[in-house]
């Protein structure tokens, strides 16, 4: 919570409560609750570093997939040529 928000809350509550100490205590409690909620949900948010790591992992996975697809394609071609040679010899 920013200082501007804190001051705004204080200015709204002070005329209602009419006690400086109690108003400050209430504003501090509100700040604590907001900060706690943010800390609780902070692990659910993705940072720029998390996104950069994810992009790197995706690039690595893509290159691995292309490599394995090529290996299987070469294997398929070998089997196909083997069957063609088998049928041609008969």
């Amino acid at each position: 919570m920013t200082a501007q928000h804190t001051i705004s809350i204080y200015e709204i509550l002070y005329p209602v409560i009419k006690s400086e100490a109690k108003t400050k205590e209430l504003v501090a409690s509100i700040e604590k609750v907001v900060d706690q909620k943010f800390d609780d949900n902070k692990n659910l948010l993705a940072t720029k570093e998390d996104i950069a790591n994810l992009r790197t992992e995706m690039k690595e996975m893509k290159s691995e997939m292309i490599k394995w697809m090529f290996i299987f394609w070469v294997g398929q071609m070998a089997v196909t040529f083997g069957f063609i040679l088998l049928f041609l010899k008969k």
Side-chain angles (χ1 to χ4, degrees), residues 52-77:
N53 290 340
L54 183 61
R55 285 183 177 164
T56 304
E57 289 178 26
M58 288 174 66
K59 286 179 185 177
E60 290 172 3
M61 285 175 38
K62 182 179 175 183
S63 64
E64 283 291 314
M65 284 177 54
I66 291 171
K67 179 181 79 173
W68 283 106
M69 287 172 63
F70 181 74
I71 290 170
F72 285 122
W73 177 76
V74 168
Q76 277 185 322
M77 295 308 289

Side-chain angles (χ1 to χ4, degrees), residues 20-34:
E20 187 174 337
K22 291 201 181 258
T23 305
K24 285 182 179 179
E25 183 180 334
L26 181 60
V27 170
S29 296
I30 292 171
E31 283 182 327
K32 190 182 293 185
V33 168
V34 169

